[in-house]
Amino acid sequence: MSHMKSVVWSAVSTVALAASLAANCWFLSRMPGCGRKTEAPGAKLCAASHGLQGKKSAPSPDERRAAAAETPPPGEKVEMMVRRVEGDGDRMLTLFLSREPDMEVVRQYVTAGPLASGGLAFSSRREDERTWRLLVSGDFAHRTNLTLRVRSGFPAKDYAAGMKEDFVHSFKRKDRAPQVSFSDPGRYLPPVGERAVSVSSVNAPKVRVEVRRVPSANIVQLLSREERRYSGYWYSEVDSSCTAEISDVPSVQVLETRNEPNVEERNAFAVAGPDGTPTNGVFLVAVGNDGDRRGPSAWRLVVITDLGLSVRSTDGGIKVWTTSLTRGAPVPGARIEVYSSANILVARGVADAQGWCECEKVSEGEPFAVVATSSDGSDMSFIQLASSTRVEEDTEGERPYLAANECAAFLWTDRGIYRHGERIFIHAILRNGAGAAPAPFPAELRLVRPGGDVYARRTVMCDGCGVLSDDTFAVPDDQPSGKWTIVLATPGAKGARIGSRTVTVEDFVPPQIRVAVEPSKGAAPSAFGFTVSAGHLYGGPAAGLRCEGAVVFEDEPFAPKGWESFSFGDEGRGLKPNFRRLDAAPLDGQGTLAFSAPLDAAAGLPRAAVRATAQGTVFEDGGRPATARATATL
């Protein structure tokens, strides 16, 4: 359970208990039905026994209308009126209406302000059988009298008569709570320039900044805490005392702010060590309202470094490329360490002359962060292996560098879709392993059909800048629509592919097939499967068409009714990213294909239940795909 709640019980004196009972009975006497001619005998007795009876003042016209609306005579229409208004003291007002409002004209009848910025937003929902809520939100001005006005004539959605009178409500917006936070989401700073971090504050006359240097051995501990990988750090006081033990002595700055009421302002401060010297490294920066006993309100690891890290994670291990950010050159000799979220060293290595390091595995564990230290120890950086820093690439193999005698090409076209008969303009840039234009050599352009066979070839020659272009390819009317591929390769039947580009050739017609996916019911994750079915829109099954499947498993959140704000499960467990493509096959005579897609053991153990998303893609004769998805909880 991720949240902790406490309940404090205390003794109540006899006098306090009597006062509480009296207050409760007064509350009961004010409930609908109490104090009226139709009140229940029990309610009258309750009021009388505590001496709460007295002369009641005459109700106002608004109160009489509201009372009539609550208990209308049978068959009588309830007129549109505002029964009451509630506000959260900030940006939201709630109007309780007797009928459903007409939201198409609400802006013409309901105003509120003045506003500090922007406009009003409206929404409505049913409260109960006799009441509708109209929610009005906006950036209301602070420290001024505000007015909500509903003009007469405001109509209900299903009732011709509108409001008979104007409704006016006065209110004020409370001041914003003091708040201090980081202005920007990044954590990396260059070693040159001001080395400054920006902090935002509201209603905080002074901002306290604490900067602590972090040794490499404690980076993962603090990063895991920042990413909520550990579940024991909920309160600032506890966090402050713990961080003092795993980081250096803090250097403290106090920033004076303009402190204009309720206005957010930004201030910058330089990140430096305890002695004020601008050295590189990893720092723990804490900001907060000076004088707040709860301590800092925001923490962040900030890195001042010249080390740029690129990490490739594959089944073969972790590869790290280290370069200088200011010089754009490799950083040889950098020590690379890969840690799990439990701060266990998983792999390590040393960068070669090109800044490239293939880390050697030293223990079991899921890689969480890569820490790099320069050979002389004067610079340090890290990168978290998280979804926010991941770039997915669909490759069939690894090829970290081009050899000196190899060449690669980037192809593009003037459009991504063409009609039959239109010429396809192709442009290409070629570069060798050194990143320079290769010496001109003959190459072959190939136009490949959706089925994979070559339809046309043309020999081309790049110029001295490694550039070539061609506009001789076109797809005739008698050829199929779909995905056509343009390939640039060295000449000959076994010529090596240098680059490729895929374009769509279509008559701009809608899809010709429909696809459905039916996941297996009640199956365990280890026995999950699904069926893809497809049929032609003009009738008949899509027999024989090629079908591809894919599946991904995710943790299914579990929370029983009434506990939605809590999370349950072992935070140390959880499924890893596991999107998986399944082998393609043709549909059978009924236009169906069954896929077996059990949860791979390498994906990890789920926290609770598992949500499986199955995808089926069926390709028309021309290669154009039609896709459907379905989800099941296992």
Side-chain angles (χ1 to χ4, degrees), residues 184-224:
D184 306 300
R187 73 166 80 249
Y188 297 93
L189 292 174
V192 295
E194 298 181 356
R195 304 156 57 97
V197 172
S198 178
V199 61
S200 298
S201 63
V202 177
N203 292 339
K206 294 181 179 181
V207 174
R208 179 183 176 89
V209 177
E210 300 177 3
V211 179
R212 298 173 169 88
R213 180 179 289 277
V214 178
S216 61
N218 294 336
I219 290 176
V220 174
Q221 159 76 346
L222 293 171
L223 180 62
S224 296

Side-chain angles (χ1 to χ4, degrees), residues 74-355:
E76 181 177 328
K77 290 287 187 179
V78 179
E79 67 181 58
M80 182 65 161
M81 67 177 64
V82 180
R83 288 181 171 160
R84 70 181 189 277
V85 178
E86 293 181 0
D88 64 353
D90 192 16
R91 300 175 60 96
M92 180 69 72
L93 290 171
T94 303
L95 285 71
F96 292 84
L97 307 176
S98 59
R99 303 193 69 87
E100 180 181 1
D102 187 348
M103 299 302 293
E104 294 184 0
V105 298
V106 65
R107 294 182 182 276
Q108 301 175 24
Y109 290 91
V110 181
T111 59
L115 297 172
S117 63
L120 295 176
F122 298 90
S123 63
S124 69
R125 68 172 184 266
R126 193 180 192 95
E127 174 74 3
D128 53 41
E129 295 181 356
R130 298 175 299 176
T131 309
W132 281 81
R133 287 182 181 230
L134 175 62
L135 308 178
V136 183
S137 60
D139 185 14
F140 301 113
H142 291 274
R143 300 196 173 188
T144 185
N145 293 324
L146 305 172
T147 302
L148 166 71
R149 184 180 300 274
V150 184
R151 290 172 46 206
S152 62
F154 181 36
K157 184 177 181 181
D158 57 350
Y159 190 47
M163 284 183 53
K164 293 182 179 180
E165 300 175 359
D166 285 1
F167 178 87
V168 179
H169 172 75
S170 298
F171 65 102
K172 280 191 174 183
R173 184 178 183 182
K174 63 185 179 182
D175 287 341
R176 298 175 63 179
Q179 182 179 0
V180 178
S181 61
F182 292 100
S183 302
D184 306 300
R187 73 166 80 249
Y188 297 93
L189 292 174
V192 295
E194 298 181 356
R195 304 156 57 97
V197 172
S198 178
V199 61
S200 298
S201 63
V202 177
N203 292 339
K206 294 181 179 181
V207 174
R208 179 183 176 89
V209 177
E210 300 177 3
V211 179
R212 298 173 169 88
R213 180 179 289 277
V214 178
S216 61
N218 294 336
I219 290 176
V220 174
Q221 159 76 346
L222 293 171
L223 180 62
S224 296
R225 189 180 305 177
E226 182 179 306
E227 295 296 320
R228 299 183 181 274
R229 292 299 184 100
Y230 303 150
S231 60
Y233 301 95
W234 294 100
Y235 306 104
S236 299
E237 296 87 350
V238 176
D239 205 50
S240 299
S241 62
C242 292
T243 52
E245 299 177 358
I246 57 177
S247 56
D248 205 346
V249 178
S251 63
V252 180
Q253 305 177 50
V254 177
L255 308 179
E256 299 279 351
T257 67
R258 297 191 307 274
N259 197 30
E260 184 177 349
N262 303 303
V263 176
E264 182 175 335
E265 62 176 286
R266 296 168 60 122
N267 293 278
F269 61 91
V271 178
D275 57 356
T277 55
T279 57
N280 292 2
V282 179
F283 300 87
L284 179 64
V285 180
V287 297
N289 186 14
D290 189 41
D292 191 341
R293 293 182 303 171
R294 294 172 298 179
S297 57
W299 300 78
R300 180 173 298 171
L301 286 171
V302 175
V303 186
I304 300 178
T305 183
D306 188 45
L307 302 179
L309 303 179
S310 300
V311 180
R312 171 174 286 182
S313 177
T314 66
D315 294 338
I318 299 290
K319 285 84 172 174
V320 182
W321 189 25
T322 310
T323 56
S324 168
L325 296 176
T326 57
R327 297 179 292 108
V331 180
R335 298 191 302 274
I336 309 298
E337 296 174 320
V338 183
Y339 291 91
S340 70
S341 60
N343 208 15
I344 297 175
L345 183 65
V346 176
R348 62 186 172 191
V350 178
D352 61 15
Q354 300 298 320

Side-chain angles (χ1 to χ4, degrees), residues 25 28-29 31-36 39-49 53:
C25 291
L28 289 173
S29 71
M31 292 177 63
C34 292
R36 297 181 185 171
E39 63 189 359
K44 184 181 296 183
L45 177 61
C46 177
S49 63
Q53 286 184 325

